[in-house]
Amino acid sequence: MTLPSPARPVGPSTAAGRPRAFRLAFLVPRTEWAYKPRIVATTFVIVTQVFLYVLLWRALYGEGSQTVVGLDASQAITYSVLATLMGTGRVVLEGASQETAQSKIRDGSVVFWFVRPLAARRYCAWRGVGEGLYATAWLCAGLAIGLATGLVSAPPTWTATAVAVLSYALGQVVFYQIGLLVDLTSFWTITSFGVNRLVAFAQLLLSGGLVPLWFFPDWFRMVGEHLPFAATIHVPVSLYTGRIAAADAGWFLAEQALWGVLLTLAGRFMWHRAARRLLVLGG
Amino acid sequence: MSTKTSAAPTPAVPVGRLRLATVILRAGLRSQLANRADFAMAVANGVTYQITVVLFATVIFSRFPALDGWELGEILLVSSIRMVGHGLYMLFFGNLGLIPHLLREGRFDAFRTRPAPTLLQVFTYEAPVNALGDLVVAAVSLSVCLSLLDIEWSVGAVLFLILAMVCATVIELGLNLHIAALVLRFRGSESLFFWLDNTAGTFGNYPLSVFPTILQTVFTFGVPIAFAGYYPAAWLTGHTDTVPFSQALVYAFPLVALAVTALGLAAWRRGLAWYSRNG
C-alpha cells in the first residue's frame, strides 16, 4: 500500500522556491492598464501641457535669437518640455494604484503591509521601481515624439547624454524617497494631505517643474540648486540641454547621490519607527 | 392594541436647502477643526498654491518685460480677477474636485440615497478650509494690483470689476462641472481637474494677444478661461482695441458664464444619469 504523498502547497511562491518580489514592479503599469480612461486622460494632460508651454515660451522669446539668463529659446523650450514630461507625468501618476500608506491607513488595510511574507519596505520599494519605470516610459515616448517633431533639441554631446541619463536615474531615486518620506508621515498624522500638498508645492517650485530654476533670482536658484528637489528635475534637464556643461557634472551628480543616500537612510529610520507605532483604524 | 404607535413613523420635518447646507457645513467645519494642525496646513496650502501662480507670472514678467504693451499692474489685474474668482469657486464649489475621492470611498453612492440634491451634498461635504488661503492671496494680489494701476474708478467700473470676479467663479464652476460629469462617466479621468487648474493658473494670467491664434481661439471659444480674467481686464485697463476676434468680447463674460454653467449642469445631469444606470 502506498501512502498518499503529502499535499504540496500550491501558489506562486513555490514556483521558484521563493517569492518573486520583482513582479511587484508591474503593479503600477497593470493598475493603470486596468483603468484605460486614466491613460487617455494622462495622455491628454501631458500632450496639452507640453504644447501650451512650447507656445508660451515661443511667444515670450519672440522671433529674435536672444538669450535670457543663459538659456536661448530652444534650450528653454527643451527644458520646459522635459520638465513637464517628468513633473506632470509623475504628479498625474501619483496615487495611481491607491497603494499609499495614507489611503491604506485610512481604510485600515495597512495591516496587510506588515503581515505579508515580504517586508513592507521592500514591497513599497519594488512598487516604486515600477512607478519609476512607468513614468520613464512616458518620458521616453514624449521625448521621441518631441525629437521627431523638432520641439525638443538633442543634447549637445554624447557625454551630455550619458551624464543626463545617469543624473535622471539618480533623480528618480530622490523622487521616490521624497514621496516615501511624505507618505510615511501619515503613520503619525493619519491624514497627511497637508504635508503632501506642502511638499508638492516645494517640489513644483524648487525642482524647476514650474519655471526653469534659471529664471529665478540668483540667490533663490543658488539655494534651490542644493536642495533635494532640484535633483529630481532641474539637474538632469539642465545637463540634457547643456545649460550645465557635462564637464561640470561631477559635483551635481555627487550631490544627487548624496541626497539619495541621505533620504534613503531617513526613509529606513522612518520605516522602523512607523512599524512600531502602527495604529490600525477600526481594527 | 397599541400597534398604531409603532407603525407610523413621524414624518420628517421638511428642511430648507440652505438651512440643510449650513447645518452640514457647520458639522464639517467642526470635524476639520478637530485636527488643528491639519486645519492650519489646509489654509497654508491655499496660500502656497496661489503663490506659485503669482511667482510664475512675476518671474516671467521680470525676465520678459514687454508683454504686448501691458504693464505689470495691468497683467496683475488679469490674474487678480481670475484668482478672486478661483478663491470664491473654492469656497462655494471646490468640493467638486473631491468627487473621485467620494466615488472611491463609496460616499457618493450614499449621497444618491438621501433626499437632498446630490450636487448640494457634494458642495457641503467638507468645509472648504483651503479656500481661505486662496482668498487671502487673491485679496493681497488685488490690492497690490490696484495700487499699481492708474484707473479712474467710477461706480460703473467698480461694478464691472465685481461682476467680472463673480463671473470668473461661475465660469470655473461650469468648466469643473463638465469634468465632474466626465469623471462620473469615465473612472480614472480625474487628472483633468488638475489639468484645468494648472492650465488656467499658468496660461490665464497673460494678455491673450501674446499667444498665437490657435491658443486665442481655444481660450476664447473652447475652454473659455480668457473670459475669467483677460477680457474684462482688457476693458478696465483700456486695452479693448487690442482684443482678438471682436471688441465686443470684452462685454461677453456674463453670457459666457451663464452658457458654460448651463452646459455644465446639463453634462452633470447626463453623467449622473449614466452613473445611476451603471455605477
Side-chain angles (χ1 to χ4, degrees), chain A residues 38 48-49 59 191 201 215, chain B residues 38 48 56 63 188 195 198 210:
Chain A
R38 269 195 71 92
T48 50
Q49 292 284 86
T191 57
F201 164 69
F215 285 108
Chain B
D38 228 36
T48 52
F56 185 82
R63 297 297 181 185
W195 175 84
N198 210 20
V210 305

Side-chain angles (χ1 to χ4, degrees), chain B residues 2 11 22 46 52 64 106 121 135 155 167 204-205 250 259 265-266:
Chain B
S2 65
T22 35
T52 55
F64 301 90
Q121 295 185 62
L135 281 169
V155 178
C167 287
N205 301 329
V250 295
L265 280 172

Side-chain angles (χ1 to χ4, degrees), chain A residues 37-38 41 44 48-49 52-53 55-57 59-60 69 98 106 191 194 197-198 201 205 210-211 215-216, chain B residues 38 41 45 48 52 56 59-60 63-64 67 101 130 187-188 191-192 195 198-199 202-203 210-211 215:
Chain A
R38 269 195 71 92
F44 174 79
T48 50
Q49 292 284 86
L52 286 170
Y53 274 110
L55 290 174
L56 177 69
W57 292 117
L60 290 173
V69 288
Q98 281 305 306
R106 277 168 74 92
T191 57
R197 281 186 230 156
L198 275 187
F201 164 69
L205 200 63
L210 184 71
V211 194
F215 285 108
F216 284 103
Chain B
D38 228 36
M41 281 284 213
N45 280 324
T48 52
T52 55
F56 185 82
V59 165
I60 297 292
R63 297 297 181 185
F64 301 90
L67 278 174
H101 164 77
N130 56 347
R187 291 294 280 275
S191 52
L192 294 177
W195 175 84
N198 210 20
T199 306
T202 314
F203 299 94
V210 305
F211 294 120
L215 279 196

